[in-house]
Amino acid sequence: MQDYTTLSTLEEIRAISFFSTSLSSKETIDEILWDITRNVIHRLGFIDCVIYTYDNETCLLTQHAAYGVKNPFDKRIHNQIKLELGEGIVGSVAMSKSAEIINDTSKDPRYIVDDASRLSEICVPIIINDTLFGIIDSEHPQKAFFTEKHLHLLNIIAALCAQRIKALHLKTKKNFTKANQYFKKLEELMRFKKLYRNPNLSLNSVSEALGISACYLSSMVNSLLNKSFIDFINEYRIADVKQNLNSDRYAHYTIVSLGLEAGFNSKSAFYSAFKKHTGLTPLQYKNDCCLLS
């Protein structure tokens, strides 16, 4: 296998062309990510490659695809780990959305040992519409192994990945309409059954109630409403709180109690979501309503 640092400009162009062609034939995010991890190793001479995906609801980065020691067989990941934003080098890059090369991980306090301790690391974010989708990460036992050429090519690969995922989202969006029977049922569950009031409500529990997969439900909400599932649920909860803040029926409730009654499972989750969706705290909103009445 040829060392990437010796590749000519023509060979770099060929590598980019290969990735572009390979990704264009992939029809699922899973296929895209596994294809990248496998071909990054084969084309660039790396010894491992791991792609993390970011979950906006849990705020966690999870190892989604891997190749090398982390992938002993099939599409299995050995010792699959999850990281919070800011945790480790991967979490730091996810937070900053800026790629990094670490020439000596032994001198970087952020470094977290995964399957084995290695001395250099390269970490590149995958950004879609200015939003973090995931991270391409690779480590090597040799210090200062990764070069600016590696960084340049991985940035291009990340952009190609983002472009293909966007294309898949647009394709999926065309398949959804508001006449969708599952979307109608979802709205019925929220409006009439007030399912959002369940503090333990989750993507999985709602998808089971609808008889569809969690992935389908998430895609449906995102495609039709351009928002995440948790934002969709929280909008119903906040509307519930707004309605009850100045209601005589709930006059004996504290503001926090109204949030918990609406389905939020903690004071912090309630206040954070309310401020995000209204730009005000619940008390500020209540006081504003009193001034207008």
Side-chain angles (χ1 to χ4, degrees), residues 28 49-50 66 117 133 171 208 222 251 260 267 288:
T28 68
C49 181
V50 178
S117 180
F133 172 82
K171 184 177 179 180
E208 287 177 8
N222 183 262
L260 299 178
K267 176 181 177 180
D288 283 356

Side-chain angles (χ1 to χ4, degrees), residues 214-225:
C215 183
Y216 185 93
L217 173 58
S218 179
S219 296
M220 180 175 69
V221 172
N222 183 262
S223 296
L224 294 178
L225 306 176

Side-chain angles (χ1 to χ4, degrees), residues 198-212:
N198 177 2
N200 297 314
L201 195 69
S202 68
L203 184 65
N204 286 330
S205 64
V206 176
S207 65
E208 287 177 8
L210 293 170
I212 57 178

Side-chain angles (χ1 to χ4, degrees), residues 48-86:
D48 91 320
C49 181
V50 178
I51 295 183
Y52 293 76
T53 49
Y54 179 64
D55 188 326
N56 283 298
E57 295 178 18
T58 63
C59 297
L60 291 175
L61 291 148
T62 302
Q63 291 178 335
H64 186 117
Y67 208 72
V69 178
K70 289 285 293 182
N71 172 229
F73 61 91
D74 198 20
K75 287 187 177 180
R76 303 289 181 86
I77 298 180
H78 172 67
N79 188 34
Q80 185 181 41
I81 64 174
K82 297 183 179 184
L83 299 171
E84 296 181 358
L85 280 180

Side-chain angles (χ1 to χ4, degrees), residues 16-17 19-20 23 36 155-165:
I16 293 168
S17 177
F19 276 99
S20 180
L23 291 178
I36 289 174
N155 273 318
I156 293 175
I157 292 168
L160 290 172
C161 173
Q163 185 179 34
R164 183 56 188 157
I165 291 171

